[in-house]
Amino acid sequence: MIEPVLANDFDRLFEIEQQAHLVPWSKGTLLNNQGERYLNLKLSQPGQIVAFAICQSVLDEATLFNIAVAPAFQGKGYGKRLLKALIEQLKTQGVQTLWLEVRESNHTAQRLYLSLGFNEVTQRKNYYPTTDGGRENAVVMALYL
Ligand SMILES: CC(C)(COP(=O)(O)OP(=O)(O)OC[C@H]1O[C@@H](n2cnc3c(N)ncnc32)[C@H](O)[C@@H]1OP(=O)(O)O)[C@@H](O)C(=O)NCCC(=O)NCCS
């Protein structure tokens, strides 16, 4: 089931965030990413949230700031279902372009985005911190809705 994220979902979202990301957001950052301009969706299996997406719209452009699937549920099609649902909702809101940034090394996520029609637009050099204290490029992708 895919539904909007509610304020009291954030504890579970933070658990998934910590499990799924190499360099997770803090709880504070996660909590700051809600409000009027956000379209945040969660995908639930009976009894628990297993994935979420955080997206912000400004006029006719939107940015996917975060998408994460709990590790035990990855590779089962949930990420794709969630992103497709998000795209459909953005279309009904009149959004024309969905932007995102992804680590250059994150081939799983890039494959998901390419399979949904995103194109690589540019790269931001040394954009993300890495766990070994280095930096990694971001790939900027866009989907024209
Ligand atoms: C990236 C992520 C959101 C994808 O969600 P998912 O539910 O695991 O992926 P899905 O099962 O929906 O698969 C979607 C596509 O991703 C690719 N994919 C998924 N798992 C893969 C794997 N283990 N290896 C290679 N490609 C994979 C495939 O192209 C797949 O499409 P297909 O099944 O039509 O071939 C999820 O793995 C995740 O949360 N990863 C950690 C956090 C992250 O990297 N977030 C994105 C960057 S902000």
Side-chain angles (χ1 to χ4, degrees), residues 56-113:
Q56 189 190 54
S57 305
V58 177
L59 302 174
D60 63 356
E61 305 215 341
T63 305
L64 180 69
F65 286 145
N66 198 338
I67 181 165
V69 178
F73 296 87
Q74 290 177 7
K76 298 177 191 294
Y78 295 131
K80 197 171 209 169
R81 257 172 55 198
L82 185 59
L83 197 45
K84 277 186 176 173
L86 181 75
I87 289 165
E88 286 315 308
Q89 293 202 24
L90 291 172
K91 280 186 188 171
T92 66
Q93 293 179 3
V95 171
Q96 306 248 352
T97 312
L98 175 58
W99 296 90
L100 62 80
E101 280 151 14
V102 55
R103 285 176 186 271
E104 196 176 22
S105 64
N106 192 346
H107 300 294
T108 303
Q110 286 172 42
R111 245 189 303 254
L112 166 61
Y113 303 142

Side-chain angles (χ1 to χ4, degrees), residues 8 18 29 36 50 59 69 72 110 112 129-131 140:
N8 63 4
Q18 288 175 299
T29 300
E36 214 174 277
V50 301
L59 302 174
V69 178
Q110 286 172 42
L112 166 61
T130 55
T131 46
V140 179

